[in-house]
Amino acid sequence: MASTKSRNYDLVLLGATGYTGKLCAEYITTSLPTDLKWAVSGRSHERLSETVEELRSFNAERVQPHIEVATLSLDDLRSLAKKTRIILNTVGPYHRYSGPVVQACSETGTHYLDVTGETPWVYEMIHKHHDTAKASGAIIIPEIGLESAPSDLLAWTLATLIREDLSLDTKQVVASVHKMDSQPSGGTLATVTGIMQHYSLAEFRKSSAPWALSPVPGPKSSKTVPLATRLLGVRRTQHLGILTTSITAGPNVAIVQRSWGLLGGPRSYGPNFQYHEYMRVKNSLAGFIIHAALCLGSLAIIIPPVRWLIQWAAHNFYAPGQGASKDATAKDAFELRAVAEADQDVPKPRMAMAKFRYDGGIYYLAGIFLAEAAMVLLTNDDLTTKLGGGLLTPAMLGQPFIDRLRNAGVTLESRIMPE
């Protein structure tokens, strides 16, 4: 595994002219060290130049990023990957455009981070490129945005806390989206409709099966999900309240399960570990209505005419690359809470609770995740050596990542509940 420290750049931001890419570029400009060697990359030199000029308004004294024009051909991407230690990829939909980016990074030993939430694509990338990345030393971490960094970090935090403070395994973690004030970007809408055309129902079933992303077989379900929840989509959980189906649960559960497997399976969080995720609602009726609507919507989007209508609306009214302005999202907030139960055969097992919160837009938060994860990889040689390479997860960046996020304005706190 050859060192990449002599390469031209510390990081390259691919897709810097898109909605999330611009927000990430802004955060890098205003918050990362001024001696960072970086570049913005995309297909249009003109649009990249405009982006660089916009960045001057955030920090006029800073040396601005270089410009690297690259198409999404494998040859161009290999050439780009060889110039940098890390690629931050915001080019979506990922299933449509970003497979070659992962391949190029895996082959050249270049670390890679993205903010996808496309589980079938992540499943495909694992099976195609994990072994190559592991051999080259490339650390490839998809889903390090809103999907699925908060969920993965909370699960890791709680399991670590229970093991260190109580010397116990964790039986289950139940998480709930307590607050999410945001609207989807045009790119997100394009992903939702496009992925249904790209993958077959059989591929969806395979990639969404329990523990499908874990490198080792997962624990057998201990039926920790109540029957009423399985039928009506509603459950009441101590310390979290009334919960219902969350549209983001699928990708997040899959990544948490992969972390469990990569970190040692039964030796990590525990041999009986389960993770469930929901969203908080005011009452059971509202929960059932939301659950039913999501079920019907999932079925409807399978029907081609419905999917085409949504695609047409998304393209004409909210195209990829568009989204709310940073000022418009200034009062937004995202909060995820989680409760963990220790694996004890007693009537009242010990419990722990954790909270992740960020005040601001979720797409700006995605830029923070990308930039701070990159800094972890750039400044922690012992950690990167330990990780080795392969298709990994946000939790594997551990406490150094959490510390940097806290310094960036994220709240992540945890505690053991009283007996």
Side-chain angles (χ1 to χ4, degrees):
M1 181 172 62
S3 172
T4 60
K5 290 186 177 182
S6 62
R7 293 184 178 182
N8 297 12
Y9 307 115
D10 295 318
L11 67 84
V12 168
L13 176 59
L14 182 62
T17 61
Y19 180 59
T20 303
K22 284 185 176 181
L23 293 173
C24 184
E26 176 185 334
Y27 181 79
I28 292 171
T29 300
T30 58
S31 303
L32 295 198
T34 56
D35 61 352
L36 183 78
K37 298 181 296 181
W38 70 297
V40 293
S41 183
R43 291 175 292 183
S44 169
H45 190 282
E46 181 180 358
R47 291 184 64 193
L48 289 168
S49 297
E50 291 172 357
T51 296
V52 171
E53 284 302 311
E54 291 172 6
L55 294 176
R56 293 186 190 278
S57 65
F58 299 110
N59 190 344
E61 301 302 319
R62 181 183 182 125
V63 176
Q64 297 305 309
H66 292 263
I67 292 174
E68 290 284 344
V69 177
T71 68
L72 293 175
S73 71
L74 189 55
D75 286 343
D76 266 17
L77 292 169
R78 283 193 183 112
S79 177
L80 180 67
K82 290 176 182 178
K83 295 178 181 179
T84 182
R85 298 175 65 186
I86 305 173
I87 285 183
L88 310 185
N89 181 22
T90 62
V91 180
Y94 289 86
H95 66 269
R96 184 175 179 183
Y97 297 118
S98 291
V101 189
V102 175
Q103 180 177 345
C105 289
S106 299
E107 292 174 350
T108 58
T110 303
H111 303 326
Y112 168 97
L113 304 166
D114 74 36
V115 290
T116 186
E118 302 161 45
T119 303
W121 180 74
V122 174
Y123 179 90
E124 179 186 354
M125 293 300 99
I126 290 170
H127 286 270
K128 284 185 175 180
H129 304 302
H130 174 75
D131 290 341
T132 301
K134 192 170 183 178
S136 72
I139 294 171
I140 311 292
I141 306 181
E143 296 198 41
I144 202 163
L146 192 69
E147 296 159 333
S148 298
S151 304
D152 205 26
L153 293 174
L154 281 192
W156 180 86
T157 296
L158 286 166
T160 301
L161 179 65
I162 288 174
R163 184 173 296 281
E164 291 181 350
D165 284 24
L166 304 177
S167 299
L168 295 169
D169 292 328
T170 299
K171 183 177 182 180
Q172 71 164 337
V173 173
V174 178
S176 73
V177 178
H178 260 50
K179 190 174 182 65
M180 186 162 64
D181 304 321
S182 66
Q183 58 188 28
S185 69
T188 299
L189 294 174
T191 296
V192 171
T193 54
I195 198 169
M196 298 302 300
Q197 291 178 307
H198 190 83
Y199 293 102
S200 67
L201 289 178
E203 289 171 317
F204 268 96
R205 285 194 295 268
K206 182 182 293 186
S207 63
S208 61
W211 306 97
L213 267 55
S214 174
V216 297
K220 293 182 179 180
S221 175
S222 56
K223 303 298 182 185
T224 55
V225 179
L227 177 61
T229 303
R230 296 198 293 270
L231 294 177
L232 304 176
V234 179
R235 74 179 287 173
R236 184 185 295 272
T237 299
Q238 187 181 11
H239 306 299
L240 298 179
I242 302 173
L243 312 177
T244 191
T245 305
S246 170
I247 195 170
T248 60
N252 296 338
V253 171
I255 290 298
V256 172
Q257 290 175 344
R258 181 163 179 78
S259 291
W260 173 88
L262 289 170
L263 290 168
R267 302 187 309 277
S268 57
Y269 301 172
N272 301 312
F273 176 78
Q274 299 288 334
Y275 178 83
H276 308 288
E277 187 168 310
Y278 305 92
M279 65 179 291
R280 187 184 65 167
V281 289
K282 293 182 179 180
N283 54 60
S284 297
L285 178 60
F288 172 72
I289 292 172
I290 291 172
H291 171 72
L294 289 174
C295 290
L296 291 173
S298 299
L299 291 174
I301 204 170
I302 296 173
I303 303 171
V306 175
R307 188 167 62 244
W308 297 334
L309 179 63
I310 297 173
Q311 286 176 319
W312 177 84
H315 179 76
N316 285 276
F317 298 106
Y318 215 20
Q322 297 180 350
S325 69
K326 187 183 176 186
D327 289 341
T329 63
K331 295 183 179 180
D332 288 355
F334 172 79
E335 184 173 319
L336 183 73
R337 297 183 187 180
V339 173
E341 177 184 320
D343 197 354
Q344 293 175 284
D345 189 18
V346 296
K348 292 184 177 181
R350 297 299 304 273
M351 308 284 288
M353 191 168 184
K355 179 178 76 173
F356 178 105
R357 183 181 175 94
Y358 176 74
D359 291 290
I362 60 172
Y363 292 94
Y364 191 74
L365 176 59
I368 293 175
F369 279 131
L370 286 169
E372 295 298 350
M375 290 305 299
V376 172
L377 295 176
L378 290 171
T379 60
N380 289 266
D381 290 344
D382 290 345
L383 177 61
T384 56
T385 299
K386 178 181 176 181
L387 294 178
L391 271 285
L392 308 180
T393 59
M396 301 193 75
L397 298 182
Q399 197 61 45
F401 190 28
I402 291 172
D403 291 342
R404 294 198 68 95
L405 291 175
R406 285 173 172 158
N407 290 334
V410 168
T411 297
L412 203 165
E413 56 191 26
S414 60
R415 68 185 188 276
I416 298 292
M417 305 298 289
E419 293 188 72

